[in-house]
Amino acid sequence: MRQAIVRGDPSTYPDWFDGKRRQRPLIVSRWVPIAMVGLPVAVLLAIVIYPTVWMFYHSLRDTNITGLFTGNHAYIGFANYATVLGSERFQDSLIHLLQYLSFGAVLQVILGTVLALILYEVVRSNLWRTVILILVVLPMMLPPSIVGVLWRFLLTPSNGAVNQALLDLGLISAHIEWFNAGISLWSIIIADVWNWTALPFLIVYSGRVSLPPAVYEAARVDGAGQWKVVRRITLPMLKEVIAIAFILRFTDAFKFVDLVYVMTSGGPAQSSELPTYIAFQRGIREFAIGEAAAYAIIIFAISAVIVTLFLQYMKRVMRAQGLA
Amino acid sequence: MARLVVEGLCKGWDFPVIDDLSITVEEGEFLVIVGPSGIGKTTLLRLVAGLESPDRGRILVGDRDVTRVPPYRRNVAMTFESYALYPHLTVARNIASPLQARGLPAAEIRRRVEEVARLLRIDTLLERKPGEISGGQKQRTALGRTLVADPQVFLLDEPISHLDARIRHELRSQFHTLEDLRRVATVYVTHDYAEALSLGDRIAVMGNGGRLAQIGSARELFEQPATLFVAEHLGQPTINALEAELVDVDGRLEAHVGSLRLPVASSRRDALARVGERRATRRVTIGLRPQHLRPADELPQGATLEGRVDIFEALGSTGVMIVDVGGVALTALTRPERTFDPGEMVTLAWDPAALHFFDPSDGRNLLL
């Protein structure tokens, strides 16, 4: 009677198996796995971890540009943080960020979703679908600096195309001063929506394409109307996809500098500044390295909290559907 | 309640899939459509459900012509091969969906969903989502969604093909006993002939070219297959089909297959002679089911053949052997307790009255 084979216990393996265990291992030396993991870790350390730690270190010191190069800077505790959090400029910029998020990012996701579903549900020919897809995605392929310059031209109050068009249509009777205080941030949002709506659009469209057609046929047999199908079946099934699109646009908002810089430079009178832009301004333009570092750390903390909340939500949704 | 009538239905895309197909399914009848993959079975169901519109022909539910009526107003319900459950809704809400679409009051929906769930024994799963239940439970949920709609016609597309054997058997017996299914006209599509034989009041075999090869009871199809195609698709193991020549020998009729001489039963001789007068050739395809070809001691009064066992398979409830008889490979059955060794010589007996004769050119049964 043969001995029963116990997995993991070579003494119970039959004779014919002897040679098999001595197969040449895929990994030749024990240094290979160390190198394969170590190299990316080293790169990560060098370009992410080290600068972050460096930044945190200087956020606690009174570093300016000369101090940075001469090593002449002193520990000042959380004074930089106090300066930042206490400044009206930063508080205003947070309100601007909120405005940008709730109109810019949200609008992009809503518009992108609506466009994607319309394209899928209404346009039936594959040729037209492709043509429209390309047209919608085109703005996303332009670098933001170009988009900024483009929209500065389009929105020029006296002879810009947008004002001219609104006048010709009779929607306004006088030029809108697109770059005045109170409006300039809206101009940035408009340009950004134009620039980035295509991203949620693409994500949602590809999500819709991959939904199982049989479910829709079942709905047709059940007798659900088209609007009901979109509301009760399509949108719930695209929930995670839309959430991902939103997270992407949301996280981008925290590093959003380019359009602000090109279109308004935060002005007039700091009325269109976002936190990141101030960090950039204080650090790169005005050489207040310590304070800029504090800005960056605060922005990092805020975004980390929000993204964590989002991921938690995603996890819950996925678990409810048995996906995770 | 009503019957389902399909008249001269045609549908094709790049090529004709369904060609001039007519079927009537009576109220309370369970019709199983069986046929190989890609033959148009699912297309037929989708046409009846209204998910596709026919190129020609009519579909009637009761006396109502529903050919141009949208799916939800046809009073048909359909299960899909992939179950097509809504992944974001609970089992209860999946089952409830056709009722919700009709705008029934919530209490009424709740009551009917629970009733159906109890019937299908998924009442403990009502708050789960499709991602959290097994394949068999998903199928029950999909079935529940069709049952709750209380339609006049049920369309079931390969409902149990993707489940493992034990659950398949359990669900199959459930199809036998579900009153709701047995009350109305049901069309059940499968590629599994055993399922068809087991479930169908009548069975329709779909053949090449999108036509019905034959429709009838399981017994009719098995004993009097209209074509070789039907004979080959119903029955396991597959029928022995051999090219043969009919020869008169001393006033008796024999079918010659190579060196084999197979006597033809006298009951078949006159019928074959009448057919023979219309045909220019005496070539036929003969069919002999393995069930009717057994070791000589199991079939004492049959005609006999000598052969050598090539392959023997003990399948538990029966034994199957492939025997080389004069260079012709024949499949025969044995009683389950017997064993044969490859190479062993064996005397087989067969029942001449069970022999089928088909036209080699178009596969038609010559005696029907």
Side-chain angles (χ1 to χ4, degrees):
Chain A
M1 183 73 189
R2 244 203 196 152
Q3 197 180 358
I5 294 172
V6 179
R7 216 172 154 171
D9 179 1
S11 69
T12 64
Y13 293 174
D15 304 341
W16 59 262
F17 194 77
D18 283 355
K20 299 209 119 182
R21 265 171 297 151
R22 283 191 288 274
Q23 268 177 359
R24 204 178 134 93
L26 187 67
I27 292 162
V28 202
S29 132
R30 68 196 184 91
W31 289 106
V32 172
I34 292 172
M36 284 165 102
V37 177
L39 211 63
V41 167
V43 171
L44 206 67
L45 273 172
I47 66 171
V48 179
I49 310 290
Y50 172 71
T52 308
V53 172
W54 184 92
M55 200 165 64
F56 184 69
Y57 171 77
H58 284 284
S59 75
L60 300 174
R61 306 184 78 85
D62 64 349
T63 313
N64 59 24
I65 191 73
T66 42
L68 186 64
F69 289 110
T70 59
N72 183 17
H73 44 76
Y75 176 73
I76 54 168
F78 286 90
N80 281 329
Y81 291 89
T83 313
V84 171
L85 293 172
S87 80
E88 217 167 290
R89 188 181 182 188
F90 174 70
Q91 289 159 12
D92 285 348
S93 78
L94 276 186
I95 293 171
H96 299 158
L97 178 66
L98 206 64
Q99 185 184 343
Y100 171 77
L101 283 175
S102 47
F103 290 94
V106 171
L107 199 64
Q108 286 164 24
V109 173
I110 293 176
L111 260 178
T113 304
V114 170
L115 283 176
L117 293 183
I118 287 178
L119 180 63
Y120 189 87
E121 305 290 345
V122 178
V123 182
R124 288 280 160 221
S125 113
N126 265 329
L127 177 70
W128 279 112
R129 273 187 187 172
T130 312
V131 169
I132 295 172
L133 201 80
I134 291 170
L135 286 179
V136 174
V137 172
L138 269 182
M140 202 173 76
M141 300 179 182
L142 292 177
S145 52
I146 304 291
V147 173
V149 173
L150 187 73
W151 277 91
R152 270 185 67 152
F153 279 124
L154 289 172
L155 293 173
T156 306
S158 55
N159 55 2
V162 173
N163 268 347
Q164 200 55 50
L166 292 174
L167 274 176
D168 289 348
L169 290 168
L171 292 172
I172 54 171
S173 53
H175 287 152
I176 296 177
E177 295 296 331
W178 288 106
F179 295 102
N180 275 10
I183 302 185
S184 58
L185 184 59
W186 291 110
S187 300
I188 295 173
I189 291 175
I190 290 171
D192 191 55
V193 167
W194 183 84
N195 193 186
W196 281 109
T197 295
L199 185 73
F201 166 82
L202 268 186
I203 293 172
V204 173
Y205 184 78
S206 59
R208 177 62 188 88
V209 168
S210 63
L211 291 182
V215 168
Y216 287 88
E217 294 178 339
R220 274 175 71 195
V221 177
D222 285 351
Q226 189 155 15
W227 167 239
K228 221 174 189 174
V229 168
V230 169
R231 198 166 51 88
R232 300 259 305 272
I233 298 173
T234 305
L235 287 179
M237 290 209 288
L238 287 176
K239 203 156 59 177
E240 304 89 335
V241 171
I242 294 172
I244 286 169
F246 194 68
I247 290 176
L248 283 179
R249 288 313 297 142
F250 202 86
T251 48
D252 273 354
F254 285 95
K255 48 186 186 187
F256 183 54
V257 180
D258 30 32
L259 273 186
V260 179
Y261 180 69
V262 174
M263 287 181 72
T264 68
S265 302
Q270 304 170 354
S271 66
S272 60
E273 279 183 343
L274 295 176
T276 329
Y277 182 77
I278 305 177
F280 161 77
Q281 190 72 10
R282 290 297 286 148
I284 309 293
R285 285 308 180 76
E286 295 158 16
F287 307 128
I289 306 293
E291 194 188 319
Y295 265 106
I297 295 289
I298 290 170
I299 295 166
F300 172 67
I302 296 173
S303 59
V305 168
I306 294 174
V307 169
T308 306
L309 290 176
F310 254 124
L311 290 180
Q312 219 100 67
Y313 161 80
M314 287 287 291
K315 224 180 194 169
R316 220 182 55 225
V317 172
M318 306 265 278
R319 193 169 297 148
Q321 299 203 359
L323 296 171
Chain B
M1 295 302 116
R3 62 180 188 170
L4 168 73
V5 180
V6 170
E7 275 178 14
L9 208 61
C10 300
K11 180 69 181 179
W13 286 272
D14 298 336
F15 57 92
V17 177
I18 289 185
D19 183 27
D20 195 21
L21 191 133
S22 301
I23 301 183
T24 300
V25 188
E26 297 297 337
E27 179 180 330
E29 186 182 16
F30 199 104
L31 177 78
V32 178
I33 297 183
V34 64
S37 301
I39 207 87
K41 305 184 297 287
T42 298
T43 304
L44 175 62
L45 279 200
R46 293 169 58 85
L47 285 163
V48 174
L51 294 170
E52 308 284 354
S53 55
D55 294 326
R56 247 187 228 173
R58 294 203 306 161
I59 299 160
L60 292 92
V61 174
D63 298 325
R64 195 161 69 106
D65 186 338
V66 297
T67 315
R68 303 284 157 204
V69 171
Y72 63 96
R73 284 178 40 216
R74 294 187 173 202
N75 219 344
V76 302
M78 176 166 173
T79 66
F80 295 82
E81 195 173 351
S82 61
Y83 315 138
L85 298 175
Y86 307 122
H88 59 288
L89 298 181
T90 60
V91 168
R93 296 195 53 196
N94 263 290
I95 298 176
S97 58
L99 301 179
Q100 269 168 351
R102 285 181 214 165
L104 262 62
E108 167 79 2
I109 292 178
R110 183 94 213 141
R111 190 184 62 73
R112 283 171 69 174
V113 167
E114 278 170 4
E115 188 184 297
V116 164
R118 255 197 312 281
L119 197 65
L120 294 169
R121 281 177 282 128
I122 45 174
D123 43 338
T124 54
L125 308 171
L126 283 175
E127 294 315 312
R128 303 247 198 113
K129 293 204 169 161
E132 302 165 323
I133 59 178
S134 72
Q137 291 163 341
K138 280 183 200 165
Q139 185 51 63
R140 280 170 217 252
T141 306
L143 194 60
R145 188 170 62 183
T146 45
L147 285 177
V148 83
D150 199 19
Q152 290 177 310
V153 176
F154 273 112
L155 307 171
L156 307 172
D157 188 5
E158 305 253 5
I160 56 180
S161 304
H162 302 298
L163 305 174
D164 63 60
R166 198 176 54 81
I167 295 170
R168 202 159 62 219
H169 205 80
E170 190 185 324
L171 275 175
R172 198 159 93 187
S173 59
Q174 206 155 38
F175 283 118
H176 275 296
T177 52
L178 274 177
E179 275 299 312
D180 293 316
L181 281 183
R182 293 288 163 181
R183 262 186 314 117
V184 298
T186 302
V187 183
Y188 182 109
V189 158
T190 179
H191 65 261
D192 180 347
Y193 86 98
E195 232 170 275
L197 294 178
S198 140
L199 287 171
D201 295 330
R202 277 195 305 160
I203 297 161
V205 181
M206 274 185 85
N208 288 318
R211 296 211 170 107
L212 275 190
Q214 192 175 5
I215 184 164
S217 70
R219 188 168 293 272
E220 276 168 23
L221 262 58
F222 197 73
E223 289 178 357
Q224 298 170 313
T227 64
L228 182 60
F229 181 86
V230 174
E232 282 179 330
H233 278 87
L234 296 179
Q236 183 72 26
T238 308
I239 192 167
N240 293 300
L242 305 165
E243 298 290 324
E245 176 118 32
L246 293 175
V247 180
D248 287 307
V249 180
D250 306 332
R252 286 177 296 109
L253 194 59
E254 283 184 354
H256 289 186
V257 182
S259 61
L260 286 185
R261 304 273 182 270
L262 305 173
V264 174
S266 52
S267 59
R268 304 292 171 98
R269 209 173 54 204
D270 298 338
L272 277 174
R274 276 197 300 280
V275 175
E277 283 164 18
R278 285 186 274 115
R279 299 175 76 229
T281 167
R282 304 204 79 193
R283 296 209 65 82
V284 294
T285 302
I286 57 170
L288 179 63
R289 294 205 180 273
Q291 286 81 351
H292 301 129
L293 181 64
R294 294 179 164 275
D297 50 339
E298 291 182 25
L299 201 67
Q301 67 277 54
T304 57
L305 292 167
E306 295 289 329
R308 199 185 72 244
V309 177
D310 273 347
I311 299 170
F312 177 78
E313 297 173 337
L315 296 184
S317 60
T318 184
V320 179
M321 57 180 162
I322 296 175
V323 182
D324 182 336
V325 181
V328 180
L330 294 174
T331 310
L333 291 189
T334 75
R335 284 203 304 268
E337 69 276 11
R338 307 187 64 173
T339 305
F340 292 84
D341 293 319
E344 190 178 328
M345 295 305 291
V346 64
T347 306
L348 295 172
W350 58 285
D351 178 3
L355 207 57
H356 298 285
F357 298 88
F358 302 99
D359 189 322
S361 59
D362 57 10
R364 267 186 322 106
N365 190 330
L366 290 170
L367 297 181
L368 282 184

